[in-house]
Amino acid sequence: MASRRTHLALLGTVSLVGVLGIAACGGSDDSSSTNTGSDTTATDGGGGDVLAASDTGFSTGSPKAGGTYRIATPDLGFTGGFDPSAEYLGWAWGLQQQLLNRGLVGYRHIGGTAGTEPMPDLAESIPEPTEDGTVWTFKIKKGVKFSPPLNREVTTKDIVYAFERMATPSVGAQYPNYFTMIKGFKEMSDGKAKTISGIATPDDQTIVFTLTKATPDFPYRLAMPASAPIPPEVGKCHTKAGEYGRYQLGTGPYMIKGADKMNISSCDAQKPIPGFNPTDGITFVRNPNYDAATDSKEQREALPDVIDISVNTNEKDVFDKVQAGELEEAAGLSVPPEVARKYVGDDTLKDRFRSNPEDSTNYVTMNLAVAPFDDIHVRKALNYAVDKQAMQRAWGGKLYGDLTGHVIPPVLLDGDTSIDPYATENSAGDVEKAKEEMKQSAYDTNKDGICDAPQCKGIVYLNRNYGAYAKITPILTQNAAAIGLGLDVKELPTGPAYETLQTVKNQVPIATNARWGKDYPDATTFAVLFDGRNILPTGNTNYSLVGMTPEQAKKLGIAYPKTPIPSVDADIDKCNDTAGEDRIQCWKDFDTKLMTEVVPWVPYMNALHTNLLGPAVTKWEYDQDAGESALAHVAVDPSLQK
Amino acid sequence: MGFIVLLVLVALFAGPLASLIGHGPNELFQNDMLDDFGLPKGPNGDFLFGADASGRDVLVRMIYGTRVSLKVGLFATLVAVGIGVVLGLLAGYLGGIVDTILSRIAEIILSLPILLFAIGIVTACGASKEGCARGYVKPGVTLVVLISAFFTWPVMYRIVRGVVLSLREREFVDAARSVGAGPFTIMFREILPNLISPVIVYASLMVPQAILFEAYLSFLGLGVPDSIPSWGRMISDGSAIYDVAWWLIVFPGIILLLTVLAFNLLGDGLRDALDPKSDR
């Protein structure tokens, strides 16, 4: 359900020069790329070490430790009950990685390139793989303890248990696909084995992963929260989907308020931790067992004493309170354009409006198995016809997204923005070019550039029914009509819209209700959307059905189109087997092929994440990995709070 | 009355009016009427009532919105009146078990919280691509009409039943019965013509309720789709940014207020004219 993760949050930017040369990052506390270049420099206010703000960060006055950092969100929106094994919401990942659970590998939790370089966290270093890249041996740091009431030191067996949870179907893990190349993982998830044969723990400080094939991006995968240690004493009591979220004990600088009072003497004695109620909010307080000496300030400064996240469904009220100093931030919400306009136009406020790349793509998806989009010329024509500038404006303008002409965010392609086969002047669409393309389609029977076959009318178009999504509807409808495509608009709430789109039998011809962002900084996390082997009857995210075979269509109970559907499976495999510069180039070629020979989408914008900082915020960073505020690096001045 | 006639004319000639203005109801004027933040610009010479958040002409959409409001108001009332009158006649004239069953059903429906149930039904029908009731009912004007009628026919039913209970004891009914007229003949030939006055009076008062009902649902995002202009949805869309775009709620709000007021005044007037028992 990566899409859920995408629609609510998602991840960051970055120029990935030397991507996946990650082993070289291991071990050091290299801070050369952070904490420089800010026009407002933080100082150590005496309440603990405070790093200067990064290029994408913010600081003012004298940031100090202490205080309560208050956030409101319209809905916690957790997709897996906040259980680290299952959760797939980007914002939740940020909370897990920065506040609660330390995994083998982590990030700096800042914006920009430096924010997506993997760093050792629980691990002493990120090792070089051996045995042709198939064996990874990690040593973990000593002295890292679980929070009260467990109070014991973390061992590598706790990491093994985290992986075993992912391979336990009842837990409802949402991205075990990233770990199926671990030897024996699939056997356990299929119920053929009780443990994962490819993970060994020679001692409490060592863990060895044996993979079935070289996986250059393995450290990135280990940075995902599901692989962080989970204590079996508690975890084994909660193996239903999402259940462990309210019982979790971690190793980070914070714990859920009240965790220390939990009775863990038996499974029956355990009660949900009171500081987390899915309908009201979640409160984090300091974990007394956290030893900053085992961590890096680069990764976690952990300045506030308390981080309080409350649910408030009134968006206007939330932003009014942020502006008034009654809240420090909003989460799960984009800053309303009218508020952004006010802040950007005021020199005293403009630094408190933040806009950073999410590393996500907004797009129009077209179904290659449904007429008239089974004709590549129709798909290309729509690419020419769409007014991307208008789409961008619907989202709030340039501060809310960068226009794009291809699938994979440029930041994952070494900043390459040259792929734009359907470029039009000012990205405003070109009806004449679109008509020229349409003339080549079988659905334009009289070759006048207008789709005129019966299949061109009443095309079901699915979208969400609120906010910027709803503003997209009239734009696309008008653009499509210009080349004869008559769209029959179906607007649904977020959940039903996703369910409708992800159920293959519904055969939705065209939709704009979904977005996609990276799971980690590599283009493979976009390529999965076009892998024909990933097509599922329900929960399908290959919305365009790229690579679907006639046999698959038969199994899915849908008609296979007369025009064969192209496949990029071999291209994906080829890129996944490469590393370094070759990998980047491979993904660029893949993206170009997608946009010229497959054309599953009309990609129109790489979204920017917007944040509004209240007057009491004295330090703030953007977490490029989570695509949200980096709570590991925020500070608040209680005297400025209301 | 004059205002209602004007509304009807506006609804009938929405197309020519829009052509006169030069803007379509779904035509986008993003470059001219949205700023760099995608926020709408206010009233000016070309856009007398300003633009909405998608850059569409608010005045033109209000003109087209008249169609939705009148369509819902009139059709929902017609359906409710049709059901209410027929069942009221049956219950009032036949009495007995028929009366008991129909009256209990009407009371149950009247006791339901209409908006809550309506939201539930519209959400259920709007939660999937197919709609509900095997795809026969889909979100939109028809669904709003059906829901409104379903919840309001008992009002008409009770009025008609009460009047029929009194009429069936009158001499002209006895006379008809004595010459061999059957119950249905008596109901529809003898009694029904005598119901016209109360039915017209109360029907005219049901119209504004239905118009408001559509506005409520559209305000909640559950009424008609965005491509069909509706005053309720316009107010709803505008409410998010009313502090920077007041025209989005003020103009549709005023027209909705005036329309409801006009129909209420019409109903009052008809009651005064047709009901001999009312105080004038």
Side-chain angles (χ1 to χ4, degrees):
Chain A
M1 303 299 283
S3 48
R4 295 300 302 272
R5 177 164 155 69
T6 5
H7 94 86
L8 287 166
L10 287 196
L11 326 185
T13 40
V14 178
S15 169
L16 288 177
V17 178
V19 72
L20 302 179
I22 41 188
C25 298
S28 79
D29 272 350
D30 174 19
S31 60
S32 58
S33 59
T34 62
N35 316 321
T36 57
S38 172
D39 55 356
T40 53
T41 305
T43 59
D44 181 351
D49 294 338
V50 180
L51 301 178
S54 73
D55 286 349
T56 54
F58 163 87
S59 73
T60 186
S62 303
K64 294 176 185 170
T68 298
Y69 197 88
R70 303 159 304 173
I71 300 168
T73 181
D75 174 11
L76 290 174
F78 297 146
T79 64
F82 202 46
D83 178 345
S85 303
E87 187 58 50
Y88 206 10
L89 175 68
W91 181 54
W93 279 25
L95 300 178
Q96 300 274 8
Q97 292 168 316
Q98 297 175 58
L99 308 183
L100 281 182
N101 302 320
R102 297 175 60 187
L104 286 168
V105 179
Y107 297 101
R108 288 189 179 86
H109 306 297
I110 59 173
T113 311
T116 53
E117 289 170 3
M119 298 179 73
D121 188 354
L122 189 58
E124 288 180 350
S125 65
I126 299 177
E128 290 280 2
T130 57
E131 307 293 329
D132 293 328
T134 59
V135 175
W136 295 76
T137 304
F138 286 85
K139 288 269 185 189
I140 66 168
K141 292 170 183 169
K142 287 183 178 170
V144 179
K145 283 183 171 181
F146 283 108
S147 76
L150 199 53
N151 298 319
R152 72 164 171 80
E153 196 161 324
V154 173
T155 75
T156 46
K157 290 185 177 61
D158 299 313
I159 301 172
V160 174
Y161 177 62
F163 278 87
E164 288 176 353
R165 280 177 68 85
M166 275 195 277
T168 304
S170 67
V171 169
Q174 294 184 24
Y175 50 95
N177 52 303
Y178 285 122
F179 300 101
T180 48
M181 74 301 174
I182 298 174
K183 196 175 164 190
F185 187 96
K186 203 164 181 312
E187 283 73 9
M188 186 175 173
S189 58
D190 289 345
K192 294 174 187 165
K194 292 196 171 172
T195 57
I196 301 170
S197 60
I199 308 180
T201 54
D203 57 56
D204 282 354
Q205 251 60 50
T206 309
I207 185 164
V208 183
F209 295 93
T210 304
L211 314 183
T212 54
K213 61 175 185 176
T215 308
D217 59 3
F218 190 53
Y220 282 122
R221 302 182 189 216
L222 291 178
M224 295 194 279
S227 61
I230 292 176
E233 303 93 310
V234 183
K236 282 188 175 172
C237 299
H238 310 287
T239 54
K240 289 180 189 165
E243 195 179 47
Y244 177 64
R246 299 187 70 180
Y247 299 84
Q248 64 184 300
L249 300 177
T251 51
Y254 296 90
M255 60 182 183
I256 300 172
K257 188 179 180 183
D260 50 337
K261 306 285 193 306
M262 188 163 64
N263 181 348
I264 56 169
S265 58
S266 71
C267 287
D268 289 340
Q270 292 177 24
K271 299 280 180 277
I273 300 170
F276 169 30
N277 184 323
T279 55
D280 295 340
I282 184 165
T283 304
F284 299 95
V285 296
R286 289 198 182 278
N287 167 12
N289 291 343
Y290 172 72
D291 180 0
T294 65
D295 205 344
S296 153
K297 288 287 175 195
E298 266 192 289
Q299 291 182 56
R300 296 178 188 85
E301 292 175 89
L303 296 168
D305 288 335
V306 178
I307 293 173
D308 183 61
I309 299 164
S310 57
V311 172
N312 181 345
T313 55
N314 186 332
E315 179 179 346
K316 189 165 186 336
D317 184 51
V318 169
F319 282 100
D320 284 348
K321 284 179 172 168
V322 172
Q323 293 179 69
E326 294 173 40
L327 287 169
E328 275 59 72
E329 266 198 78
L333 288 171
S334 197
V335 179
E338 64 274 17
V339 177
R341 185 171 70 178
K342 174 181 159 190
Y343 272 62
V344 169
D346 185 333
D347 284 344
T348 62
L349 292 173
K350 66 180 181 187
D351 282 346
R352 291 186 180 270
F353 171 79
R354 315 299 301 181
S355 173
N356 286 286
E358 280 189 355
D359 299 358
S360 65
T361 303
N362 293 10
Y363 55 89
V364 181
T365 180
M366 297 169 283
N367 190 332
L368 274 59
V370 176
F373 299 112
D374 54 351
D375 184 327
I376 192 170
H377 298 296
V378 175
R379 304 197 295 273
K380 285 184 175 182
L382 192 62
N383 264 277
Y384 279 123
V386 167
D387 182 348
K388 296 181 181 181
Q389 194 184 47
M391 300 275 214
Q392 181 192 45
R393 211 184 267 126
W395 283 94
K398 292 176 181 173
L399 292 171
Y400 290 77
D402 298 321
L403 294 171
T404 190
H406 58 109
V407 171
I408 300 168
V411 290
L412 301 182
L413 301 176
D414 197 17
D416 189 351
T417 56
S418 64
I419 308 169
D420 194 2
Y422 310 101
T424 60
E425 194 175 346
N426 296 323
S427 298
D430 187 326
V431 176
E432 290 314 310
K433 281 185 181 175
K435 284 182 174 175
E436 285 304 311
E437 191 64 47
M438 184 62 86
K439 283 178 187 172
Q440 300 173 56
S441 163
Y443 293 107
D444 177 6
T445 56
N446 61 1
K447 304 302 172 195
D448 65 349
I450 299 292
C451 196
D452 53 18
Q455 294 92 332
C456 303
K457 301 294 168 225
I459 303 166
V460 172
Y461 160 42
L462 181 66
N463 197 6
R464 298 190 210 182
N465 61 357
Y466 70 91
Y469 289 96
K471 289 190 201 171
I472 294 292
T473 299
I475 299 169
L476 186 63
T477 307
Q478 181 169 288
N479 293 161
I483 49 173
L485 299 171
L487 302 186
D488 178 12
V489 179
K490 301 291 174 202
E491 290 181 312
L492 299 175
T494 303
Y498 264 114
E499 283 162 27
T500 302
L501 183 61
Q502 293 181 343
T503 303
V504 171
K505 265 199 163 181
N506 284 334
Q507 286 289 68
V508 175
I510 183 169
T512 51
N513 64 302
R515 298 168 56 202
W516 194 264
K518 72 182 193 311
D519 283 340
Y520 56 85
D522 186 69
T524 192
T525 58
F526 272 76
V528 293
L529 299 176
F530 308 102
D531 192 326
R533 297 158 294 195
N534 290 346
I535 296 172
L536 300 167
T538 56
N540 177 52
T541 52
N542 183 345
Y543 306 129
S544 298
L545 300 178
V546 177
M548 184 176 70
T549 62
E551 293 72 32
Q552 279 177 303
K554 196 174 176 187
K555 274 187 189 170
L556 292 162
I558 59 172
Y560 190 79
K562 285 177 188 169
T563 314
I565 295 177
S567 169
V568 289
D569 295 359
D571 305 83
I572 294 170
D573 289 345
K574 182 182 153 198
C575 293
N576 277 333
D577 287 343
T578 57
E581 294 291 347
D582 289 345
R583 189 178 178 98
I584 296 274
Q585 187 56 49
C586 188
W587 288 126
K588 285 181 187 176
D589 296 341
F590 169 80
D591 204 350
T592 304
K593 181 176 179 179
L594 262 185
M595 288 308 300
T596 54
E597 297 176 32
V598 184
V599 203
W601 290 1
V602 182
Y604 64 87
M605 195 176 85
N606 298 127
L608 298 171
H609 190 86
T610 56
N611 294 84
L612 193 73
L613 311 181
V617 177
T618 51
K619 187 173 194 295
W620 181 88
E621 289 285 350
Y622 179 68
D623 182 6
Q624 198 66 60
D625 172 53
E628 295 276 354
S629 297
L631 297 177
H633 296 294
V634 296
V636 62
D637 181 347
S639 70
L640 298 173
Q641 289 180 317
K642 285 182 184 166
Chain B
M1 188 67 188
F3 185 74
I4 292 171
V5 171
L6 181 67
L7 278 179
V8 173
L9 289 175
V10 166
L12 287 174
F13 299 104
L17 279 173
S19 301
L20 205 65
I21 295 168
H23 305 150
N26 288 311
E27 197 173 352
L28 308 177
F29 298 92
Q30 299 228 336
N31 290 330
D32 295 333
M33 292 306 290
L34 295 182
D35 70 5
D36 291 343
F37 291 84
L39 294 168
K41 293 181 182 173
N44 60 35
D46 287 336
F47 293 78
L48 295 178
F49 286 4
D52 72 2
S54 292
R56 297 172 294 201
D57 189 327
V58 170
L59 174 59
V60 173
R61 288 181 70 76
M62 278 174 54
I63 288 171
Y64 274 86
T66 310
R67 287 183 168 179
V68 170
S69 290
L70 291 187
K71 206 184 279 182
V72 170
L74 296 176
F75 283 108
T77 302
L78 274 177
V79 175
V81 166
I83 297 170
V85 167
V86 171
L87 297 184
L89 266 171
L90 289 171
Y93 185 78
L94 299 176
I97 186 77
V98 175
D99 183 25
T100 305
I101 292 171
L102 289 174
S103 294
R104 293 303 85 77
I105 291 172
E107 283 158 14
I108 288 169
I109 292 173
L110 283 173
S111 68
L112 296 174
I114 174 168
L115 199 56
L116 214 59
F117 268 76
I119 289 170
I121 293 167
V122 175
T123 305
C125 293
S128 72
K129 185 167 68 79
E130 296 80 14
C132 55
R134 296 183 178 180
Y136 288 108
V137 182
K138 293 181 178 175
V141 176
T142 309
L143 183 59
V144 175
V145 165
L146 291 176
I147 291 174
S148 177
F150 176 77
F151 283 101
T152 51
W153 71 261
V155 176
M156 185 57 72
Y157 162 84
R158 280 163 60 133
I159 291 161
V160 171
R161 175 183 169 275
V163 177
V164 173
L165 280 175
S166 145
L167 288 177
R168 74 174 184 181
E169 307 300 335
R170 299 273 290 272
E171 292 81 359
F172 72 91
V173 175
D174 286 340
R177 205 177 285 134
S178 64
V179 296
F184 285 94
T185 307
I186 295 171
M187 275 189 275
F188 293 97
R189 287 248 177 103
E190 304 298 332
I191 297 179
L192 186 58
N194 289 283
L195 295 171
I196 286 175
S197 294
V199 166
I200 288 176
V201 169
Y202 285 99
S204 65
L205 292 170
M206 287 168 77
V207 172
Q209 287 177 21
I211 291 173
L212 277 179
F213 181 70
E214 182 276 326
Y216 293 151
L217 284 184
S218 292
F219 184 85
L220 295 169
L222 300 166
V224 298
D226 180 61
S227 56
I228 303 173
S230 146
W231 297 338
R233 177 144 184 170
M234 290 174 77
I235 294 170
S236 170
D237 290 346
S239 64
I241 50 171
Y242 69 88
D243 44 355
V244 294
W246 55 268
W247 57 92
L248 296 183
I249 57 171
V250 168
F251 294 128
I254 288 174
I255 192 73
L256 182 62
L257 172 79
L258 292 177
T259 304
V260 171
L261 191 64
F263 275 104
N264 277 325
L265 290 175
L266 175 71
D268 282 347
L270 285 171
R271 187 175 57 193
D272 291 345
L274 299 173
D275 185 354
K277 290 178 188 167
S278 69
D279 294 329
R280 302 197 66 171

